Amino acid sequence: QMRLVESGGGLVQAGGSLTLSCAASERTFSTYHMGWFRQAPGKEREFVAGISWNGVRTSYVDFVKGRFTVSRDNVKNTVYLQMNSLKPEDTALYYCAARSSAVLWAEYVSPSRYRYWGLGTQVTVSS
């Protein structure tokens, strides 16, 4: 079973930046599509960004396009989410998730399509 551990969350003022990291325990990490999700209190978990197994394809939800960048390093078994121009509405618990590359790329938005999840890292953006 793959273990995913997020790090890099914290408190930042609006307009600031944070970079989240997600470290995977298995070398088969390189065969998985990876996704970032977030969940704010009282809201559903929502897709933020995704990256294909080889890093060729990336996807972003509309409200983070141009501000967030997802990347991966398959040698270090790590995926990243660089977040710039942060807004208070970005405040949430951010999760890293993994799904087999056998799962259709177009299904990146659905949490149910991801097999492994980290425990999350908190991002708080103040006004």
Side-chain angles (χ1 to χ4, degrees):
Q1 186 175 18
M2 182 180 293
R3 178 186 293 178
L4 301 174
V5 181
E6 303 96 335
S7 62
L11 175 64
V12 65
Q13 293 189 132
S17 299
L18 285 174
T19 299
L20 306 183
S21 297
C22 174
S25 63
E26 297 185 0
R27 57 185 176 181
T28 54
F29 167 82
S30 61
T31 70
Y32 284 81
H33 298 317
M34 301 298 296
W36 286 97
F37 292 77
R38 68 187 185 188
Q39 187 168 23
K43 295 185 177 181
E44 296 283 327
R45 186 171 300 189
E46 63 181 356
F47 171 80
V48 177
I51 186 167
S52 64
W53 66 275
N54 58 1
V56 171
R57 290 173 290 183
T58 57
S59 296
Y60 302 91
V61 70
D62 285 345
F63 53 78
V64 307
K65 288 182 178 177
R67 299 189 298 122
F68 291 10
T69 302
V70 63
S71 61
R72 68 189 297 159
D73 186 334
N74 285 349
V75 174
K76 297 181 178 179
N77 292 341
T78 302
V79 63
Y80 305 93
L81 183 66
Q82 181 180 327
M83 305 183 294
N84 299 322
S85 302
L86 283 163
K87 304 175 180 180
E89 51 264 43
D90 294 319
T91 296
L93 188 64
Y94 282 71
Y95 297 91
C96 172
R99 60 186 174 100
S100 171
S101 57
V103 177
L104 292 175
W105 171 247
E107 298 178 345
Y108 56 81
V109 173
S110 302
S112 64
R113 304 304 292 156
Y114 291 79
R115 182 175 181 180
Y116 302 108
W117 293 83
L119 296 179
T121 185
Q122 180 67 38
V123 172
T124 302
V125 185
S126 65
S127 300

